[in-house]
Amino acid sequence: MTLPTDMTLIEITTPGGPEVLKPRQVPVPSPAAGEILIRVHAAGVNRPDALQRAGKYPMKPGMSPYPGLEVAGEVVALGAGVSEYAVGDKVCALTNGGGYAQYCAVPAGQALPVPEGMEWIQAAAIPETFFTVWANLFSIGGAHKGQRVLIHGGTSGIGTTALMLCREFGIQAFATAGSEDKCAAIRALGAEAINYREQDFVEVIGDGGVNVVLDIMGASYLNNNLKALAMDGRLVMLGFLGGAKANEVDLLTILGKRAIVTGSLLRARTQDEKAEIAAQLREHVWPTLSAGRCLPMIDQVFDYTEADQAHARMEGGEHIGKIVLRVS
């Protein structure tokens, strides 16, 4: 297959607001050993992209300076040693950055086949949120049938994915949101909605508590999250929208409930760890997606050259589900 020498991607010109996202011409990457090169048709937009753009994401040496953590498209070239995919295969993939682009090189272990009949836009909305929810709610959090969980930010991409999988696997879910429209969307996904502007989620959950809290708020919710846990419950933190440093932590509640407080950053995981999550998704979740259940909820689609508008939409907080960039 003959490939162009150059492509357009979206770069972060300087740390700042959405307006710092600009198109740039760069060479088409070549896949390294163990990688596949994907002609990108769509790319998902995620909160870590906005944090990176603003200069607030904990970037480690070697991380890509370009935004974009998930893509869907066609395999157009193979790196040395890749045997699980062939040129022409339709895949979605968790990237190591650089997904807002016409082409993206990705470790083969972080890719998964696009479920039969799924469009590019929906496929691009799968990897980041499904990897994150599976790794944190199910693997770290240990959520399983018959348990109760609390999901903060219930209408975000992470939230809607978590709620759909809870319904699929027989887990009772509570979820917070800040408007009646969002609460209605949560109820439609089979969960009990809690309007945090009007209700105390600890009171709504009651004395029984929940087995797992999946939290994006961090410091501002920490003590109330601990109160909401059942005995031997787990608080799994994904973000820190409410602050990254907590003061006056209620240690007595942690001790009294034998609570586990933990969290993770998906991007910081090793390539092997991400490949293991992909394998678990393929075994446990891909049959559900192939059957047409738990499909990503799409809020709005933008052209990838309008990434600034997509980020503004996400940071405005009105979206329900995933925001996706159409690339080709």
Side-chain angles (χ1 to χ4, degrees):
M1 179 179 291
T2 302
L3 299 175
T5 57
D6 295 314
M7 69 173 187
T8 302
L9 58 65
I10 304 301
E11 70 168 346
I12 301 168
T13 55
T14 187
E19 70 280 356
V20 306
L21 297 172
K22 301 291 184 183
R24 178 184 176 188
Q25 289 289 306
V26 300
V28 171
S30 297
E35 292 185 338
I36 56 176
L37 181 64
I38 299 172
R39 180 191 174 197
V40 180
H41 289 289
V45 176
N46 295 282
R47 184 68 60 175
D49 298 334
L51 291 173
Q52 180 181 351
R53 186 210 72 225
K56 297 179 180 179
Y57 192 88
M59 299 291 290
K60 292 186 176 181
M63 285 186 174
S64 171
Y66 301 120
L69 296 176
E70 60 184 347
V71 299
E74 300 170 75
V75 177
V76 293
L78 306 175
V82 174
S83 58
E84 58 265 54
Y85 291 106
V87 171
D89 284 350
K90 297 180 179 180
V91 297
C92 58
L94 185 73
T95 80
N96 294 331
Y100 297 3
Q102 292 175 308
Y103 293 88
C104 186
V106 176
Q110 294 172 206
L112 287 159
V114 173
E116 188 69 29
M118 184 176 288
E119 297 180 352
W120 295 123
I121 295 298
Q122 277 196 315
I126 290 176
E128 172 72 10
T129 51
F130 278 78
F131 273 69
T132 298
V133 170
W134 188 263
N136 289 280
L137 182 60
F138 293 92
S139 294
I140 296 176
H144 58 266
K145 185 176 182 178
Q147 289 195 326
R148 292 169 21 123
V149 305
L150 169 63
I151 311 296
H152 289 302
T155 55
S156 66
I158 295 291
T160 54
T161 298
L163 295 181
M164 287 189 291
L165 291 178
C166 282
R167 180 173 61 183
E168 180 70 18
F169 295 120
I171 299 166
Q172 182 183 358
F174 300 82
T176 59
S179 72
E180 180 50 39
D181 285 348
K182 290 187 174 185
C183 286
I186 287 170
R187 288 190 287 269
L189 292 173
E192 181 167 344
I194 303 171
N195 188 329
Y196 64 79
R197 300 184 191 279
E198 301 174 355
Q199 299 171 286
D200 181 333
F201 65 81
V202 178
E203 292 182 359
V204 174
I205 288 167
D207 294 337
V210 294
N211 303 101
V212 187
V213 175
L214 195 63
D215 179 52
I216 59 172
M217 295 304 296
S220 64
Y221 275 27
L222 179 56
N223 284 325
N224 277 341
N225 281 334
L226 294 173
K227 292 177 183 177
L229 285 176
M231 287 293 295
D232 299 307
R234 298 190 179 200
L235 167 57
V236 185
M237 292 182 285
L238 302 179
F240 44 87
L241 294 176
K245 296 183 179 180
N247 298 317
E248 300 182 1
V249 179
D250 186 357
L251 298 178
L252 183 58
T253 298
I254 296 176
L255 296 172
K257 293 185 174 182
R258 298 191 298 266
I260 294 175
V261 180
T262 184
S264 72
L265 293 172
L266 181 61
R267 192 170 185 179
R269 288 176 177 262
T270 67
Q271 186 171 313
D272 287 343
E273 289 172 332
K274 294 173 184 176
E276 175 58 28
I277 298 170
Q280 292 173 14
L281 285 171
R282 193 163 190 168
E283 178 182 356
H284 298 289
V285 177
W286 242 240
T288 298
L289 293 173
S290 297
R293 301 191 305 275
C294 297
L295 301 181
M297 293 180 62
I298 305 301
D299 173 80
Q300 197 164 339
V301 179
F302 295 85
D303 188 84
Y304 79 115
T305 59
E306 301 171 331
D308 56 340
Q309 296 179 40
H311 275 224
R313 170 71 179 169
M314 181 172 60
E315 292 182 310
E318 297 301 317
H319 64 290
I320 296 176
K322 291 296 295 280
I323 298 168
V324 180
L325 303 177
R326 180 180 286 108
V327 180
S328 62

